[in-house]
Every structure is written in structure tokens, then in C-alpha cells.
Amino acid sequence: MTSSLPGVTIVRRIKASPARVWAAITEPKLMLQWWGPDAGPTLRAEADVRPGGRFSVVFRLLNGEEHNPTGIYQEVIPEKKLVFTWDLPGTKERESLVTFLLEPEDGGTRLTLLHEHLPDEEMRKSNEHGWSGLLDKLPIFLGVAQ
């Protein structure tokens, strides 16, 4: 069944192994060093990476706004697939779903991010901007700036 709600799909090729990318998106001590859509700090990261486990990240944007997305892991296939619900308090995007797909490619990783079930086009654009900013930071954090 296909959803009629808007979604975001972003594909990046990162010159790091799926294991390194996986660690960066699932280990709180690493997430603290880079997570967020701009150069603002990540203040807290918690991740119980197992089906039914919860995550919570608190980051501050450069404009001073703080955000705390939370969710529940739905599917966890280490170094391959991570699916979780996404709840950003204060927004109308309830029950959206985020998927990270990691595939080995040319000595690195092809990362596909899907954010599905967004309520409207405005939220789709906002999330596309936020996820793009976050994924721009990942290769820099991993020391493999494209």
C-alpha cells in the first residue's frame, strides 16, 4: 500500500564502511559529536538500538532553538537497515517513519534515508532541509569529506 502523504528520500555515497556509518548513527557517544541539521551542538543522545528500544536526541540550532526528536526503533539490521518512528514535539508531524539503508558500494557506503508519512508539503521541505544538513555533516565527522 502506497501512502499519499509526502516523504523525503535522500541518497548519499560516503567513503566509509557501513560499519563506521552504522556506528555514527547508532552510538550515542558518536551521535553527540555530529547529530543535528546545522553546526549547533548536540546536547544529549540516547539510543537503545533494538526493536522496541527508544531514542532521544537533543540538539541546539545556530539560531538558539532546541529540538528533541524521539522515537522507537521498529527494525534493526546492523550495518544494513535502521527503521524508527519520529516524533518532534511541537510539530504536527505525528507518526512519521525514518529509515536508514546502508549498502556497501565502491569501498564505501551508499546511504539512503527515507522519511515517510509527513503531514504536508511544508513539513516535507523542512525535513528535507534538516536531513540534508545532517547528512552533509556525516562525512566530515567520519573524516572522509567528499
Side-chain angles (χ1 to χ4, degrees):
M1 183 172 154
T2 325
S3 171
S4 61
L5 294 173
V8 173
T9 300
I10 302 171
V11 178
R12 298 288 172 89
R13 285 160 183 82
I14 300 171
K15 296 175 185 173
S17 70
R20 289 188 65 213
V21 174
W22 179 264
I25 65 174
T26 61
E27 293 182 19
K29 68 181 187 228
L30 300 180
M31 293 166 68
L32 275 170
Q33 298 176 53
W34 74 278
W35 191 276
D38 66 18
T42 305
L43 306 173
R44 190 180 81 231
E46 299 169 8
D48 179 8
V49 186
R50 61 179 177 82
R54 296 186 170 275
F55 83 90
S56 173
V57 179
V58 178
F59 57 86
R60 183 179 303 130
L61 300 174
L62 290 175
N63 68 8
E65 290 179 19
E66 284 188 15
H67 295 279
N68 179 201
T70 62
I72 299 172
Y73 292 106
Q74 305 294 304
E75 187 174 356
V76 177
I77 303 172
E79 301 178 20
K80 293 184 183 196
K81 186 175 186 180
L82 186 66
V83 181
F84 51 91
T85 60
W86 181 262
D87 182 13
L88 187 59
T91 67
K92 57 186 171 185
E93 63 169 271
R94 298 292 180 200
E95 296 189 27
S96 62
L97 194 67
V98 174
T99 301
F100 280 91
L101 298 171
L102 308 178
E103 302 169 82
E105 182 177 272
D106 297 330
T109 302
R110 179 181 181 189
L111 182 152
T112 303
L113 178 135
L114 307 164
H115 192 159
E116 303 172 277
H117 311 299
L118 297 169
D120 56 38
E121 183 61 18
E122 178 185 346
M123 289 307 301
R124 188 200 69 74
K125 286 180 181 176
S126 174
N127 279 277
E128 182 173 49
H129 177 75
W131 287 117
S132 291
L134 179 130
L135 293 177
D136 286 348
K137 293 168 54 177
L138 182 55
I140 297 164
F141 167 71
L142 293 170
V144 296
Q146 314 300 61

